[in-house]
Each structure stands twice: as structure tokens, then as C-alpha cells.
Short mmCIF file of all heavy atoms in Angstrom, two decimals:
data_model
loop_
_atom_site.label_atom_id
_atom_site.label_comp_id
_atom_site.label_asym_id
_atom_site.label_seq_id
_atom_site.Cartn_x
_atom_site.Cartn_y
_atom_site.Cartn_z
N ASP A 917 3.28 32.08 107.89
CA ASP A 917 2.05 32.15 107.07
C ASP A 917 2.26 32.68 105.76
O ASP A 917 1.71 32.26 104.76
CB ASP A 917 1.01 33.00 107.91
CG ASP A 917 0.53 32.29 109.12
OD1 ASP A 917 0.77 31.05 109.27
OD2 ASP A 917 -0.04 32.94 110.04
N ALA A 918 3.11 33.74 105.67
CA ALA A 918 3.44 34.36 104.40
C ALA A 918 4.09 33.37 103.49
O ALA A 918 3.84 33.30 102.28
CB ALA A 918 4.24 35.64 104.61
N GLY A 919 4.96 32.63 104.09
CA GLY A 919 5.77 31.60 103.30
C GLY A 919 4.84 30.55 102.79
O GLY A 919 4.92 30.15 101.66
N SER A 920 3.86 30.09 103.55
CA SER A 920 2.89 29.08 103.18
C SER A 920 2.05 29.60 102.02
O SER A 920 1.74 28.96 101.03
CB SER A 920 1.99 28.69 104.32
OG SER A 920 2.79 28.14 105.39
N SER A 921 1.65 30.93 102.14
CA SER A 921 0.83 31.48 101.06
C SER A 921 1.59 31.60 99.76
O SER A 921 1.07 31.35 98.69
CB SER A 921 0.46 32.91 101.52
OG SER A 921 -0.29 33.55 100.48
N THR A 922 2.97 31.89 99.88
CA THR A 922 3.76 31.98 98.71
C THR A 922 3.90 30.56 98.00
O THR A 922 3.84 30.47 96.83
CB THR A 922 5.21 32.52 99.08
OG1 THR A 922 5.02 33.80 99.62
CG2 THR A 922 6.08 32.57 97.78
N GLU A 923 4.13 29.57 98.85
CA GLU A 923 4.23 28.26 98.32
C GLU A 923 2.97 27.81 97.66
O GLU A 923 2.91 27.16 96.66
CB GLU A 923 4.55 27.27 99.47
CG GLU A 923 5.96 27.45 100.05
CD GLU A 923 6.17 26.53 101.27
OE1 GLU A 923 5.30 25.77 101.53
OE2 GLU A 923 7.31 26.56 101.77
N LEU A 924 1.80 28.17 98.27
CA LEU A 924 0.45 27.86 97.68
C LEU A 924 0.29 28.49 96.32
O LEU A 924 -0.19 27.87 95.41
CB LEU A 924 -0.61 28.24 98.66
CG LEU A 924 -2.12 27.88 98.23
CD1 LEU A 924 -2.21 26.38 98.04
CD2 LEU A 924 -3.04 28.38 99.23
N ASN A 925 0.65 29.80 96.32
CA ASN A 925 0.55 30.54 95.03
C ASN A 925 1.45 29.91 93.96
O ASN A 925 1.06 29.83 92.79
CB ASN A 925 0.92 32.01 95.23
CG ASN A 925 -0.10 32.72 96.05
OD1 ASN A 925 -1.28 32.27 96.08
ND2 ASN A 925 0.28 33.84 96.65
N ALA A 926 2.62 29.48 94.38
CA ALA A 926 3.52 28.85 93.43
C ALA A 926 2.92 27.49 92.92
O ALA A 926 3.04 27.15 91.75
CB ALA A 926 4.87 28.59 94.09
N LEU A 927 2.28 26.76 93.77
CA LEU A 927 1.61 25.54 93.42
C LEU A 927 0.49 25.78 92.45
O LEU A 927 0.39 25.10 91.43
CB LEU A 927 1.08 24.79 94.70
CG LEU A 927 0.32 23.47 94.39
CD1 LEU A 927 1.32 22.47 93.84
CD2 LEU A 927 -0.24 22.95 95.70
N ASP A 928 -0.25 26.86 92.67
CA ASP A 928 -1.35 27.19 91.82
C ASP A 928 -0.79 27.53 90.38
O ASP A 928 -1.44 27.14 89.39
CB ASP A 928 -2.15 28.38 92.32
CG ASP A 928 -2.94 28.00 93.52
OD1 ASP A 928 -3.17 26.76 93.72
OD2 ASP A 928 -3.39 28.93 94.32
N ALA A 929 0.29 28.26 90.40
CA ALA A 929 0.93 28.60 89.10
C ALA A 929 1.45 27.38 88.32
O ALA A 929 1.33 27.37 87.17
CB ALA A 929 2.06 29.64 89.32
N SER A 930 1.94 26.38 89.10
CA SER A 930 2.46 25.23 88.44
C SER A 930 1.38 24.36 87.87
O SER A 930 1.57 23.65 86.86
CB SER A 930 3.25 24.40 89.46
OG SER A 930 2.43 23.78 90.44
N TRP A 931 0.13 24.42 88.42
CA TRP A 931 -0.97 23.73 87.85
C TRP A 931 -1.64 24.50 86.72
O TRP A 931 -2.37 23.94 85.96
CB TRP A 931 -1.97 23.44 88.97
CG TRP A 931 -1.72 22.29 89.86
CD1 TRP A 931 -1.05 22.31 91.00
CD2 TRP A 931 -1.97 20.88 89.59
NE1 TRP A 931 -0.90 21.04 91.51
CE2 TRP A 931 -1.49 20.12 90.61
CE3 TRP A 931 -2.61 20.24 88.53
CZ2 TRP A 931 -1.62 18.78 90.68
CZ3 TRP A 931 -2.68 18.85 88.57
CH2 TRP A 931 -2.18 18.17 89.67
N GLY A 932 -1.42 25.73 86.62
CA GLY A 932 -2.03 26.60 85.62
C GLY A 932 -1.51 26.32 84.22
O GLY A 932 -0.41 25.78 84.08
N ASP A 933 -2.32 26.73 83.27
CA ASP A 933 -1.91 26.58 81.80
C ASP A 933 -2.60 27.60 81.02
O ASP A 933 -3.76 27.50 80.72
CB ASP A 933 -2.30 25.18 81.31
CG ASP A 933 -1.78 24.98 79.95
OD1 ASP A 933 -1.26 25.80 79.26
OD2 ASP A 933 -1.93 23.77 79.47
N LEU A 934 -1.89 28.67 80.77
CA LEU A 934 -2.50 29.86 80.04
C LEU A 934 -2.88 29.50 78.65
O LEU A 934 -3.70 30.23 78.01
CB LEU A 934 -1.48 31.01 80.11
CG LEU A 934 -1.21 31.62 81.49
CD1 LEU A 934 -0.17 32.81 81.32
CD2 LEU A 934 -2.45 32.11 82.13
N ASN A 935 -2.39 28.41 78.07
CA ASN A 935 -2.76 28.01 76.75
C ASN A 935 -4.01 27.15 76.68
O ASN A 935 -4.46 26.75 75.60
CB ASN A 935 -1.57 27.25 76.04
CG ASN A 935 -0.37 28.16 75.88
OD1 ASN A 935 -0.47 29.31 75.54
ND2 ASN A 935 0.80 27.56 76.11
N ALA A 936 -4.54 26.80 77.85
CA ALA A 936 -5.76 25.96 77.93
C ALA A 936 -6.89 26.55 77.10
O ALA A 936 -7.67 25.80 76.42
CB ALA A 936 -6.16 25.66 79.32
N VAL A 937 -7.05 27.85 77.17
CA VAL A 937 -8.20 28.51 76.48
C VAL A 937 -8.07 28.31 75.02
O VAL A 937 -9.09 28.25 74.26
CB VAL A 937 -8.24 29.95 76.86
CG1 VAL A 937 -7.12 30.78 76.32
CG2 VAL A 937 -9.62 30.55 76.45
N ASP A 938 -6.80 28.20 74.48
CA ASP A 938 -6.68 28.05 73.02
C ASP A 938 -7.05 26.67 72.56
O ASP A 938 -7.36 26.43 71.46
CB ASP A 938 -5.18 28.31 72.68
CG ASP A 938 -4.72 29.68 72.90
OD1 ASP A 938 -5.61 30.58 72.83
OD2 ASP A 938 -3.56 29.89 73.27
N ARG A 939 -7.03 25.70 73.50
CA ARG A 939 -7.43 24.31 73.12
C ARG A 939 -8.94 24.06 73.31
O ARG A 939 -9.40 23.02 72.91
CB ARG A 939 -6.63 23.31 73.96
CG ARG A 939 -5.11 23.34 73.73
CD ARG A 939 -4.40 22.14 74.29
NE ARG A 939 -4.64 22.07 75.72
CZ ARG A 939 -3.86 22.63 76.67
NH1 ARG A 939 -2.82 23.40 76.26
NH2 ARG A 939 -4.04 22.52 77.96
N ALA A 940 -9.55 24.92 73.95
CA ALA A 940 -11.00 24.76 74.29
C ALA A 940 -11.82 24.79 72.99
O ALA A 940 -11.61 25.68 72.14
CB ALA A 940 -11.50 25.81 75.26
N THR A 941 -12.72 23.85 72.86
CA THR A 941 -13.63 23.90 71.72
C THR A 941 -14.80 24.77 72.02
O THR A 941 -15.81 24.38 72.58
CB THR A 941 -14.14 22.42 71.44
OG1 THR A 941 -13.00 21.60 71.29
CG2 THR A 941 -14.98 22.45 70.18
N ALA A 942 -14.60 26.08 71.75
CA ALA A 942 -15.62 27.07 72.08
C ALA A 942 -15.49 28.26 71.19
O ALA A 942 -14.41 28.49 70.57
CB ALA A 942 -15.49 27.50 73.53
N ALA A 943 -16.58 28.95 70.98
CA ALA A 943 -16.59 30.16 70.19
C ALA A 943 -17.67 31.13 70.78
O ALA A 943 -18.61 30.70 71.37
CB ALA A 943 -16.93 29.92 68.75
N ASP A 944 -17.41 32.45 70.61
CA ASP A 944 -18.34 33.43 71.10
C ASP A 944 -19.58 33.44 70.18
O ASP A 944 -19.47 33.75 68.98
CB ASP A 944 -17.67 34.78 71.04
CG ASP A 944 -18.60 35.91 71.74
OD1 ASP A 944 -19.73 35.60 71.98
OD2 ASP A 944 -18.09 37.01 71.87
N PRO A 945 -20.73 33.09 70.68
CA PRO A 945 -21.97 33.15 69.87
C PRO A 945 -22.28 34.42 69.13
O PRO A 945 -22.81 34.48 68.10
CB PRO A 945 -23.10 32.76 70.84
CG PRO A 945 -22.35 32.07 71.96
CD PRO A 945 -21.06 32.66 72.09
N ALA A 946 -21.75 35.51 69.80
CA ALA A 946 -22.05 36.86 69.25
C ALA A 946 -21.28 37.09 67.94
O ALA A 946 -21.60 37.94 67.16
CB ALA A 946 -21.63 37.92 70.26
N LYS A 947 -20.22 36.21 67.70
CA LYS A 947 -19.39 36.39 66.53
C LYS A 947 -19.84 35.53 65.32
O LYS A 947 -19.25 35.55 64.29
CB LYS A 947 -17.91 36.09 66.85
CG LYS A 947 -17.28 37.09 67.83
CD LYS A 947 -15.89 36.83 68.12
CE LYS A 947 -15.32 37.83 69.14
NZ LYS A 947 -13.84 37.58 69.37
N LEU A 948 -20.91 34.81 65.59
CA LEU A 948 -21.47 33.92 64.52
C LEU A 948 -22.36 34.73 63.56
O LEU A 948 -22.84 35.87 63.99
CB LEU A 948 -22.28 32.80 65.10
CG LEU A 948 -21.54 31.46 65.37
CD1 LEU A 948 -20.41 31.77 66.43
CD2 LEU A 948 -22.52 30.47 65.93
N SER A 949 -22.54 34.23 62.34
CA SER A 949 -23.53 34.87 61.50
C SER A 949 -24.95 34.69 62.08
O SER A 949 -25.16 33.91 62.99
CB SER A 949 -23.50 34.26 60.08
OG SER A 949 -24.05 32.92 60.14
N ARG A 950 -25.89 35.43 61.55
CA ARG A 950 -27.22 35.35 62.10
C ARG A 950 -27.77 33.99 61.97
O ARG A 950 -28.40 33.44 62.98
CB ARG A 950 -28.15 36.36 61.34
CG ARG A 950 -29.51 36.43 61.95
CD ARG A 950 -30.34 37.57 61.27
NE ARG A 950 -31.65 37.67 61.88
CZ ARG A 950 -32.51 38.55 61.45
NH1 ARG A 950 -32.26 39.47 60.52
NH2 ARG A 950 -33.75 38.65 62.03
N GLN A 951 -27.57 33.32 60.89
CA GLN A 951 -28.06 31.96 60.70
C GLN A 951 -27.43 31.01 61.69
O GLN A 951 -28.11 30.28 62.35
CB GLN A 951 -27.69 31.46 59.24
CG GLN A 951 -28.67 31.83 58.14
CD GLN A 951 -28.30 31.14 56.84
OE1 GLN A 951 -27.12 31.02 56.51
NE2 GLN A 951 -29.32 30.70 56.13
N GLN A 952 -26.08 31.09 61.80
CA GLN A 952 -25.35 30.18 62.68
C GLN A 952 -25.76 30.36 64.12
O GLN A 952 -25.92 29.40 64.90
CB GLN A 952 -23.88 30.38 62.50
CG GLN A 952 -23.37 29.97 61.14
CD GLN A 952 -21.93 30.34 60.87
OE1 GLN A 952 -21.25 30.86 61.83
NE2 GLN A 952 -21.39 30.08 59.74
N ALA A 953 -25.91 31.67 64.52
CA ALA A 953 -26.21 31.99 65.90
C ALA A 953 -27.65 31.46 66.24
O ALA A 953 -27.84 30.90 67.32
CB ALA A 953 -26.24 33.47 66.03
N SER A 954 -28.56 31.51 65.29
CA SER A 954 -29.93 31.00 65.56
C SER A 954 -29.92 29.51 65.73
O SER A 954 -30.56 28.93 66.65
CB SER A 954 -30.85 31.33 64.38
OG SER A 954 -30.99 32.78 64.27
N VAL A 955 -29.12 28.78 64.89
CA VAL A 955 -28.98 27.36 64.98
C VAL A 955 -28.30 26.89 66.26
O VAL A 955 -28.78 26.01 66.99
CB VAL A 955 -28.20 26.78 63.80
CG1 VAL A 955 -27.85 25.32 63.98
CG2 VAL A 955 -29.11 26.95 62.54
N ALA A 956 -27.21 27.67 66.68
CA ALA A 956 -26.51 27.30 67.87
C ALA A 956 -27.35 27.52 69.11
O ALA A 956 -27.32 26.70 70.02
CB ALA A 956 -25.27 28.22 67.97
N LYS A 957 -28.12 28.60 69.14
CA LYS A 957 -28.97 28.86 70.30
C LYS A 957 -30.10 27.73 70.41
O LYS A 957 -30.34 27.26 71.51
CB LYS A 957 -29.63 30.25 70.12
CG LYS A 957 -30.61 30.64 71.27
CD LYS A 957 -31.20 31.98 71.03
CE LYS A 957 -32.08 32.39 72.24
NZ LYS A 957 -32.69 33.71 72.01
N TRP A 958 -30.67 27.33 69.25
CA TRP A 958 -31.73 26.38 69.31
C TRP A 958 -31.09 25.03 69.78
O TRP A 958 -31.73 24.34 70.66
CB TRP A 958 -32.30 26.19 67.93
CG TRP A 958 -33.56 25.40 67.86
CD1 TRP A 958 -34.83 25.74 68.17
CD2 TRP A 958 -33.61 24.06 67.42
NE1 TRP A 958 -35.67 24.66 67.94
CE2 TRP A 958 -34.99 23.63 67.52
CE3 TRP A 958 -32.72 23.09 66.95
CZ2 TRP A 958 -35.43 22.34 67.17
CZ3 TRP A 958 -33.12 21.80 66.65
CH2 TRP A 958 -34.48 21.41 66.74
N LEU A 959 -30.02 24.63 69.28
CA LEU A 959 -29.35 23.38 69.67
C LEU A 959 -28.94 23.40 71.15
O LEU A 959 -29.13 22.40 71.86
CB LEU A 959 -28.13 23.12 68.80
CG LEU A 959 -28.39 22.70 67.36
CD1 LEU A 959 -27.10 22.64 66.53
CD2 LEU A 959 -29.10 21.33 67.28
N SER A 960 -28.44 24.52 71.61
CA SER A 960 -28.04 24.63 73.02
C SER A 960 -29.23 24.36 73.91
O SER A 960 -29.09 23.67 74.93
CB SER A 960 -27.48 26.07 73.20
OG SER A 960 -27.15 26.22 74.58
N HIS A 961 -30.38 24.95 73.59
CA HIS A 961 -31.57 24.71 74.44
C HIS A 961 -32.17 23.30 74.27
O HIS A 961 -32.56 22.67 75.21
CB HIS A 961 -32.64 25.75 74.05
CG HIS A 961 -32.39 27.13 74.55
ND1 HIS A 961 -32.27 27.44 75.88
CD2 HIS A 961 -32.07 28.29 73.85
CE1 HIS A 961 -32.02 28.75 76.00
NE2 HIS A 961 -31.85 29.27 74.73
N ARG A 962 -32.11 22.79 73.05
CA ARG A 962 -32.76 21.51 72.76
C ARG A 962 -31.95 20.37 73.42
O ARG A 962 -32.56 19.41 74.02
CB ARG A 962 -32.84 21.24 71.30
CG ARG A 962 -33.54 19.97 70.85
CD ARG A 962 -33.82 20.03 69.38
NE ARG A 962 -34.34 18.87 68.76
CZ ARG A 962 -35.62 18.47 68.78
NH1 ARG A 962 -36.49 19.21 69.39
NH2 ARG A 962 -36.05 17.33 68.17
#
């Protein structure tokens, strides 16, 4: 069972990609200017 768990963890690691977050088109709304944050919030809801 321990061996199977190790193999599963290894498989998960092989599928992982720590650089994926760098490619994501996303930004923290809290870091936007007040104008930009207001526009982003409105568009998100609309």
C-alpha cells in the first residue's frame, strides 16, 4: 500500500507544473488602482 501511495504521489508530481501560475492570465484585484478595481469589479458582475 505504501508503494502504491508513493507511485501515486510520483504520478501527481509528474503531472504538476509549478510554472503554470506564471502563465495564468490573472491579477490580484487588490493591487489595481481604485479606477481599475472599480471597472474590473463591475465587468466581473456584468
Side-chain angles (χ1 to χ4, degrees):
D917 290 343
S920 298
S921 178
T922 300
E923 291 176 2
L924 182 60
N925 290 336
L927 179 62
D928 290 342
S930 70
W931 278 95
D933 184 353
L934 295 178
N935 295 323
V937 68
D938 296 326
R939 296 194 300 272
T941 304
D944 185 353
K947 295 183 179 180
L948 271 59
S949 69
R950 186 173 181 179
Q951 274 188 323
Q952 294 173 3
S954 296
V955 169
K957 181 179 180 181
W958 190 81
L959 288 172
S960 175
H961 288 295
R962 183 169 176 81

